[in-house]
């Protein structure tokens, strides 16, 4: 069933909890996967983690750049992370504000696929960034915790239509009110992204 996206500030406590590993990939896991897929079609996102739809199970759905369809991964764990890339970050649970963050360029991930089979995969670049963002959610970490320069935060404003008639977006520096809001809810991590 389609679920609401849980957001700051109302769901702050829940979004800050650590999730629980699934013991078996059974009916509970299948129900969560169904909710993920039903919700996926209603939002524009690279990934949705379980806490964002009110579940405390260790799982997320995501879609990498070469994937035709989104996929669900259970019990994900980053076992290696290296390199560094600073790029765009944003989150459905932190609506309306974006900011670059530094994250590892490459990650190696273990977990279980939709059928419960063990996986071990390596991701690079933006795919690695999505994986890190989603795994962070499962440990109660939000992207705002990874910001090291809040002056780079921005919001998006609708710009003119492009040649195909699609709406374009313009980055507008976040105003003081938005920055104060982020500051209130963020829990800065020591160092930066590469804390595993
Ligand atoms: Ni997010």
């Amino acid at each position: 069933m389609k679920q609401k996206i849980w957001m700051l500030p109302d769901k702050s406590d829940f979004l800050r909890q650590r999730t629980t590993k699934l013991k078996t990939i059974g009916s509970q896991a299948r129900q969560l996967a169904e909710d993920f897929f039903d919700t996926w079609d209603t939002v524009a996102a690279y990934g949705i983690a379980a806490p964002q739809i009110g579940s405390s199970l260790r799982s997320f759905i995501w879609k990498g750049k070469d994937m035709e369809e989104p996929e669900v991964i259970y019990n994900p764990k980053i076992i290696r992370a290296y390199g560094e890339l600073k790029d765009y970050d944003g989150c459905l649970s932190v609506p309306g504000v974006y900011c670059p963050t530094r994250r590892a360029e490459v990650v190696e991930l273990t977990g279980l696929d939709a059928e419960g089979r063990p996986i071990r995969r390596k991701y690079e670049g933006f795919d690695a960034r999505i994986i890190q963002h989603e795994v962070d959610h499962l440990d109660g970490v939000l992207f705002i915790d990874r910001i090291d320069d809040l002056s780079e935060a921005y919001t998006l404003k609708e710009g003119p239509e492009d040649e195909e008639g699609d709406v374009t977006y313009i980055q507008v520096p976040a105003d003081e009110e938005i920055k104060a809001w982020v500051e209130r809810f963020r829990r800065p991590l020591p160092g930066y992204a590469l804390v595993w």
Side-chain angles (χ1 to χ4, degrees):
M1 200 167 63
K2 173 189 173 295
Q3 301 294 318
K4 275 208 192 91
I5 298 292
W6 289 25
M7 297 176 192
L8 293 183
D10 296 1
K11 301 294 185 184
S12 176
D13 290 349
F14 191 82
L15 291 167
R16 290 307 192 169
Q17 285 175 12
R18 289 181 84 93
T19 50
T20 312
K21 275 172 102 175
L22 289 100
K23 289 199 178 65
T24 54
I25 304 307
S27 58
Q28 207 182 19
R30 279 193 296 276
Q31 181 60 57
L32 177 60
E34 199 181 305
D35 290 347
F36 271 143
F37 279 101
D38 290 346
T39 308
W40 182 268
D41 295 331
T42 67
V43 295
Y46 294 105
I48 307 170
Q52 296 183 276
I53 55 167
S55 163
S56 54
L57 296 174
R58 194 166 181 86
S59 177
F60 63 78
I61 186 171
W62 81 299
K63 189 161 175 277
K65 71 173 171 8
D66 295 325
M67 289 161 53
E68 299 258 304
E69 297 293 330
E71 71 166 346
V72 175
I73 296 178
Y74 300 107
N75 298 348
K77 186 179 179 195
I78 291 172
I79 54 163
R80 264 189 97 199
Y82 52 93
E84 185 189 308
L85 212 57
K86 189 168 180 176
D87 201 349
Y88 156 100
D89 221 320
C91 183
L92 293 172
S93 296
V94 189
V97 59
Y98 307 86
C99 191
T101 57
R102 283 191 281 169
R103 293 189 183 270
E105 188 176 7
V106 183
V107 294
E108 286 179 40
L109 184 83
T110 60
L112 301 172
D113 71 8
E115 278 75 49
R117 293 174 299 221
I119 55 163
R120 181 183 170 140
R121 299 197 196 133
K122 186 171 160 180
Y123 297 106
E124 293 178 27
F126 205 76
D127 281 357
R129 169 164 287 267
I130 303 168
I131 294 290
Q132 289 167 84
H133 180 116
E134 301 313 325
V135 171
D136 266 355
H137 270 299
L138 305 179
D139 295 325
V141 173
L142 298 173
F143 88 94
I144 50 178
D145 307 343
R146 303 287 191 190
I147 293 173
D148 55 12
D149 186 355
L150 193 54
S151 72
E152 296 176 318
Y154 60 93
T155 57
L156 293 177
K157 193 178 90 175
E158 272 192 26
E161 290 181 357
D162 65 13
E163 284 139 30
E164 275 104 56
D166 293 327
V167 175
T168 59
Y169 290 93
I170 300 167
Q171 290 185 14
V172 181
D175 61 26
E176 292 310 314
E177 196 183 336
I178 291 170
K179 281 191 270 193
W181 188 87
V182 170
E183 204 57 85
R184 191 166 143 223
F185 288 104
R186 77 196 216 99
R187 296 180 182 175
L189 288 163
Y192 58 101
L194 306 181
V195 182
W196 306 105

